[in-house]
Amino acid sequence: MEVVQSVLEAASAHPLAAAGVTVAGAAFLYWLTSPSTPSRKKATPLVKDPKPGVVYLFQFPPSFKTRNVSPFCLKLEMYLRISGIPHEVVRGDHYFKSATLKLPFIQIGDKVINDSGLIISYLKKNFKDIDAHLTAEQKSISVAFTRLVEEHLYFGSVYFRWIYEQSAKVWLPEAFRGVPFLLRGFISRMAQKGVKRDLWGQGIARFTDEEKLELMTSDLEALSTFLGKKKNFIVEGEVHELDIVVYSLLANILFVPMSSPLKERLNGYKNLVDFAEAMDKVLNAKKNE
């Protein structure tokens, strides 16, 4: 494990890193040689002289000219914007420097925190809680729907982006555009294989496409029914964490330019599409403030 981590660090300084070798090669070297239950890395601050009280958000570089192709990165960025917490976005290929090998993560002073849910919990306790005035029942509803979105619907969206043939033909070349041409096909196939392995372990890849779509449709139906004619999920006219969670995933299905049965099914729920488009305008307005 220590040897692989040393290779990752050395790769970041290699001249070919600018061509994208570090992005894919180092990450998949780690993936290929890691044990089945890899150990967590030590969280290391990346910003050497952080500004006091500023949250540094590390997330993926932009793709498809969209705001963010990771719902979890988008969720966290939107929470920071909506809550007005001072922050700076650091875009780049930082995932192999993450303690969990995942993005997003944040740095506050010398403290590094991983996982968007744990980060938001920390921000609520130490900066601003946009759900502070909600009732216990409303908070319970928020947790339940968050689990539906992030622990079920999300994995269906990953399948229909990475594995479903029509979508993968669009997604993989974009995801690995920084990789040298001669390596791109190999690396993208390895990535796709790794995602499929993870989805098999999670369970969603064990179903037929028709069965997957049926399961995802039940999630969309639940979200659409609960939203009804309202503009927001919890409190009309107020943006809360659940609104951000739902928007971040719906946006990654609707606004990324690729077709899939899941996207077609989502487009059939007009109130969810209207909600996502309205939230996108809210985020744009916050970005320009």
Side-chain angles (χ1 to χ4, degrees), residues 60-87:
F60 293 104
S63 296
F64 290 116
K65 298 181 180 180
T66 57
R67 195 180 312 283
N68 204 299
V69 293
S70 163
F72 301 103
C73 289
L74 180 56
K75 174 182 78 168
L76 188 50
E77 181 179 356
M78 190 164 188
Y79 187 91
L80 289 165
R81 292 191 184 282
I82 292 295
S83 61
I85 297 172
H87 67 281

Side-chain angles (χ1 to χ4, degrees), residues 74-210:
L74 180 56
K75 174 182 78 168
L76 188 50
E77 181 179 356
M78 190 164 188
Y79 187 91
L80 289 165
R81 292 191 184 282
I82 292 295
S83 61
I85 297 172
H87 67 281
E88 294 184 13
V89 176
V90 185
R91 295 186 183 274
D93 301 301
H94 302 291
Y95 51 82
F96 60 89
K97 296 180 181 179
S98 163
T100 58
L101 287 178
K102 289 187 176 184
L103 293 179
F105 64 91
I106 65 167
Q107 179 180 336
I108 305 171
D110 292 329
K111 186 179 183 66
V112 178
I113 307 171
N114 293 83
D115 183 83
S116 62
L118 294 177
I119 292 169
I120 288 179
S121 178
Y122 178 88
L123 296 176
K124 285 181 173 181
K125 294 174 183 176
N126 294 276
F127 287 86
K128 183 175 181 180
D129 183 357
I130 62 174
D131 291 346
H133 64 280
L134 297 183
T135 66
E137 181 181 8
Q138 289 171 325
K139 291 178 180 179
S140 297
I141 291 170
S142 180
V143 170
F145 272 110
T146 294
R147 298 294 180 267
L148 177 148
V149 170
E150 296 187 342
E151 304 296 339
H152 194 259
L153 181 57
Y154 165 72
F155 290 104
S157 73
V158 171
Y159 173 84
F160 282 108
R161 174 181 289 186
W162 280 86
I163 310 302
Y164 184 73
E165 185 176 0
Q166 299 278 53
S167 304
K169 287 179 180 178
V170 178
W171 169 248
L172 293 176
E174 173 66 17
F176 296 93
R177 65 172 186 240
V179 179
F181 178 76
L182 293 178
L183 295 174
R184 193 175 304 154
F186 170 74
I187 294 296
S188 63
R189 285 193 297 272
M190 291 299 294
Q192 188 181 47
K193 182 180 178 180
V195 171
K196 189 172 184 178
R197 177 195 63 185
D198 291 345
L199 292 180
W200 182 268
Q202 184 273 337
I204 193 67
R206 298 168 187 259
F207 300 104
T208 66
D209 285 357
E210 292 76 15

Side-chain angles (χ1 to χ4, degrees), residues 238-275:
E238 296 181 7
V239 175
H240 289 278
E241 184 182 355
L242 179 58
D243 297 300
I244 294 172
V245 167
V246 176
Y247 160 76
S248 298
L249 185 57
L250 296 187
N252 264 274
I253 300 171
L254 290 170
F255 304 148
V256 176
M258 64 180 72
S259 61
S260 75
L262 181 58
K263 185 173 185 176
E264 293 174 8
R265 190 60 53 90
L266 173 54
N267 275 315
Y269 291 93
K270 186 177 185 303
N271 64 338
L272 294 180
V273 175
D274 290 346
F275 165 80

